[in-house]
Amino acid sequence: FAAIDARFAELGGELTAEQTQVADNYAQQLMDQYGSTYTANGIGLETLKAFERIQLKHTLLLTLVYGPDGESPVDDSDLTEHLDSQMYELAYVNIPLYNTSTFVSASDDQKAQMLQLAQAAAASCSETQDGSVSEQVSALHSAASAALPDIYAVLDSTPAEDASNVQTELLTESDLTGAFTQDGAADAVRGLVYGEAAAVQYNAASIILMMRIDPLQVSTLDALRTQILSDMKGDELEDALTAYGSTLENNLGTSPL
């Protein structure tokens, strides 16, 4: 924390009044929710405010160090290459492998049948692979809307009205390995090209009907810069801060708490 504070100041960083207020508001929310625990451990509101401000400075350091005007700027072409090869923007629909009314889980045979139907839905989206992201997402939604009644019927269930709504999320490699726990599920995502759809069982309780889409058709590189830098340079920054912090003077006690 000392290294974050010191490096932020060295690089000319300053929190705006709005950023400070956001940090302070979150600290107040934590105190409102867990105040008795904090107080019992000698932690007051001002300490929480300081902590949240340092957390914000930590995030902003990525840009101060690696941003376009930073100390060690990362070229936009390198950011784009990392985004393309190591991050995955997915449009997707989750399909539960249980009856949503009774919560009875699907048998192995039922899971296989549901997955087969979802894979057929994914195959029906192939004609939009070269279309715009909006066309691709629309095709995924249409495929899900058509397929979900039959998929849910395997478990004598019916989909909710919003069950075919398409969500989007940008996943890192660590997100992928953490969430896609079934054998081969993460590799299925890695193998997708932009506009290609697939369906896999990605954990014990869900199938995902998904399409990989181009994140730069969803957002701009500038808007994604911090997220990409965090994945690309986060560990490097942590190591540098740890090394720098160890050189700073401190008056910490050595006796056990």
Side-chain angles (χ1 to χ4, degrees), residues 96 98-101 148-161 163:
Y98 54 86
N99 184 299
T100 53
S101 298
L148 287 184
D150 287 339
I151 296 174
Y152 275 66
V154 173
L155 298 177
D156 297 321
S157 182
T158 56
E161 289 186 7

Side-chain angles (χ1 to χ4, degrees), residues 39-53:
T39 301
N41 287 277
I43 299 170
L45 179 59
E46 292 307 311
T47 300
L48 287 177
K49 286 182 178 180
F51 174 75
E52 290 304 328
R53 291 177 189 183

